[in-house]
Structures are given as structure tokens and as C-alpha cells.
Amino acid sequence: MDTQEVADRLEITGLLARYTHAIDSGRWDLLDEVFSADAVIDYSSAGGIRGTRDEVKAWLADVLAHWPGRLHLIGSPTIDFDGDGEARVSAPFTDTLAPTRDMVAADTEGFLHGGGWYHHRLRRTADGWRSAELVEEQSWRTAR
């Protein structure tokens, strides 16, 4: 692995971390640092929408308002470079959506827990790596 590939892998790992931070903090404009302006984002496997970056930002702000406590954890990604400034990235995730940020009993209703895979098609831009496409593959979900 040469130094450029090491740097690219570190930058891509940081991009995945920025994604979860944007979602969990509700700072939707941070998604502009993750996705290209023409990105397509597909949450349909989890019952969500498939849309543009701006459509998805508005949808997330509306839907996730019901779960102010959010935590997404990303596992080790597989990163495959195509040699043309693009990469395919798949990363496992788990998430918890909570109806409150307060400390509550574990059996409180309204919690969602899930997991699956995030599949990104990334491209190198003048501003660094950006996701041109995200497809969420929801593998499981439990509700309390």
C-alpha cells in the first residue's frame, strides 16, 4: 500500500465518521461535507426515501425529530479503489434511536435498534472524497 492509498483510506474513514456525527447531532448541513451535490441517497430498505442530498436532509430533519437520542456506530469498512478516482465502500452499522435524551429505564417504549450495511460509491473531488451514492441495506430492526 503506498502513502496515497493510506491517506485515502484515512480520509474515507473520516468521511464515514462525519456521516454518523451529522445524523446523530442533527446538524444536517454537515452532510454537505459527506455527499456530493448530485448524490443519490437510498434509505428504502429501512422504509425511508430515495432522493437527492437536499431531499434527504429535509426528510431526515422531519423524521428523526421523533428520536432526539441517536447513536450510529460504523464498523470496519471494506474499501475498493477503481483507479479512476472512485471507490466502493461497504461498512456495517448499528443504530439506536431513542425517544428522549434523558436517562430512562431499558424497557421504556419508543426505542428502535437496527443494523445492516452502508454501501457508498465515492469519488475524489477538489474538496476531498465525497459520496455520490449511498444505499442503506437494513438487515434487522427491533422496536420497544
Side-chain angles (χ1 to χ4, degrees):
M1 206 179 306
D2 66 17
T3 55
Q4 183 61 56
E5 183 174 343
V6 171
D8 288 339
R9 287 179 182 277
L10 287 171
E11 184 179 345
I12 289 168
T13 301
L15 178 122
L16 297 174
R18 280 195 308 279
Y19 170 77
T20 61
H21 177 68
I23 299 295
D24 293 342
S25 69
R27 296 178 57 200
W28 311 117
D29 287 339
L30 291 178
L31 293 173
D32 295 352
E33 298 174 17
V34 174
F35 295 100
S36 62
D38 63 345
V40 175
I41 304 163
D42 185 350
Y43 293 127
S44 59
S45 76
I49 68 167
R50 179 181 188 277
T52 66
R53 181 182 72 187
D54 291 338
E55 290 168 339
V56 167
K57 283 169 45 177
W59 178 80
L60 287 168
D62 182 51
V63 170
L64 291 181
H66 302 287
W67 292 282
R70 298 184 288 273
L71 181 64
H72 287 72
L73 301 174
I74 300 278
S76 297
T78 59
I79 303 170
D80 296 309
F81 297 99
D82 77 357
D84 255 351
E86 290 202 358
R88 296 281 179 173
V89 176
S90 291
F93 75 90
T94 61
D95 62 17
T96 299
L97 304 177
T100 179
R101 287 181 177 247
D102 296 332
M103 298 298 284
V104 296
D107 62 351
T108 300
E109 291 189 12
F111 280 87
L112 294 178
H113 302 278
W117 294 88
Y118 289 131
H119 303 289
H120 287 272
R121 182 174 53 82
L122 301 181
R123 67 177 172 236
R124 187 190 317 267
T125 72
D127 296 320
W129 287 96
R130 295 293 184 266
S131 180
E133 179 182 43
L134 167 61
V135 176
E136 178 181 351
E137 178 187 346
Q138 184 81 47
S139 299
W140 61 278
R141 172 77 62 204
T142 61
R144 177 134 197 74

